[in-house]
Amino acid sequence: MQNKNETPVFHKYFTEWIEVYKLGAVRPITYKKYLMTSRRLSELAPNLKICELDKRVYQKLINEYARTHEKQTTMDFHNHLKSVILDAVDEGLLTSDPTRKTIIKGKPPVAKKSKFLSQFELQALLKNLSLSDKPNWDWFILLISKTGLRFSEALALTPGDFDFVRQKIIITKTWNYKNADGGFGETKNISSKRGLSIDLQLCQQFFELTKGLPIDEPIFAKERVFNSTVNSHLKKLCKKAGVPVISLHSLRHTHASLLIFAGVSIASIAKRLGHSSVTTTQETYLHIIKELENQDNDKIVRHLSALI
């Protein structure tokens, strides 16, 4: 890091900080977020020096960022900067923390897409799939609907990942769809390496679909794949089926939600989704869990009232 006696430009100090402390220590996608913060900081305050940071200057910087971003995004930007600033305070480049009591503003959030479909809506969507004798995006959508796989996990599937005898899919890798050259990559976490049980119908369908395909080559990622391309196809299918327009990730939410409503334990769902902890699953689907809890409370009251 730069000498304490110097007064480095803030965005240069930030860039150097993330290279020293974050490069190789966080996932590549997380590091890219830090780089985006660095670029935005250089645009907003190209000449701002560390020594010029005080509460008023910092609040103005956050306010300027908040003009074009939602509140949550602004909070993420603030948290990135705060980590660096606290280190600058420790190094004696600042005498106090200018981020203390910062007010986070932001644009009103845009209307969010539906996070999941009901069972009847999902059935309507699946009835509109065109399942040909060769892999296509309709097969891909069916697969995610019935397994809850992440986009990158589903893209990485090869015929060899299917255990047709035991009716399982073995998840050991992902597909680097964000890279032009693609290629297999590591799973999101250790828990993401798992075996998924599938129904007999899906098992038989993919047995026929993958017959004759190279056992170690991706079923769907034959060329560069963009998340937006498949989501656009899904959008057309949703409109055709007359159901809310959702994303591929929402199909994963739909899968989990239907399992919760079916009474499957949170621990089993967490394992199926590849979550690193049950807490992640509980927090993600808290609204559904609370809805079922209310239903259970009604059942309890009815049951107890019948005892007399």
Side-chain angles (χ1 to χ4, degrees), residues 25-72:
V26 296
R27 295 175 62 228
I29 190 169
T30 304
Y31 186 70
K32 284 182 180 180
K33 291 178 181 178
Y34 277 100
L35 290 178
M36 288 175 62
T37 298
S38 178
R39 285 194 292 271
R40 194 71 183 100
L41 180 59
S42 67
E43 294 168 0
L44 292 173
N47 302 311
L48 178 65
K49 293 186 175 181
I50 289 280
C51 63
E52 296 170 334
L53 276 171
D54 57 26
K55 287 178 64 65
R56 187 184 296 264
V57 170
Y58 184 76
Q59 184 67 63
K60 286 183 177 179
L61 174 63
I62 293 299
N63 289 350
E64 182 62 23
Y65 183 87
R67 278 196 320 106
T68 55
H69 295 82
E70 292 183 16
K71 190 170 183 177
Q72 184 56 55

Side-chain angles (χ1 to χ4, degrees), residues 217-274:
E217 292 184 14
I219 299 168
F220 298 101
K222 300 300 184 184
E223 54 188 25
R224 180 99 192 256
V225 180
F226 294 94
N227 188 287
S228 57
T229 301
V230 191
N231 273 322
S232 294
H233 182 69
L234 176 57
K235 181 179 180 180
K236 292 177 183 176
L237 288 172
C238 288
K239 289 184 174 180
K240 183 179 178 182
V243 301
V245 174
I246 60 169
S247 65
L248 284 167
H249 196 68
S250 295
L251 276 181
R252 176 172 160 87
H253 286 315
T254 297
H255 180 77
S257 301
L258 294 181
L259 292 181
I260 293 173
F261 278 119
V264 179
S265 72
I266 293 297
S268 296
I269 294 172
K271 186 176 181 181
R272 186 172 179 83
L273 295 179

Side-chain angles (χ1 to χ4, degrees), residues 9 23 82 88 128 131 142 182 209 225 228-229 244-245 249 305:
V9 174
L23 183 60
K82 183 174 182 177
N128 280 273
L131 302 175
L142 174 66
L209 182 69
V225 180
S228 57
T229 301
V245 174
H249 196 68
S305 64

Side-chain angles (χ1 to χ4, degrees), residues 83-100:
S83 299
V84 180
I85 289 172
L86 290 178
D87 269 9
V89 173
D90 288 344
E91 292 183 18
L93 297 174
L94 288 168
T95 57
S96 61
D97 176 15
T99 68
R100 185 170 169 271

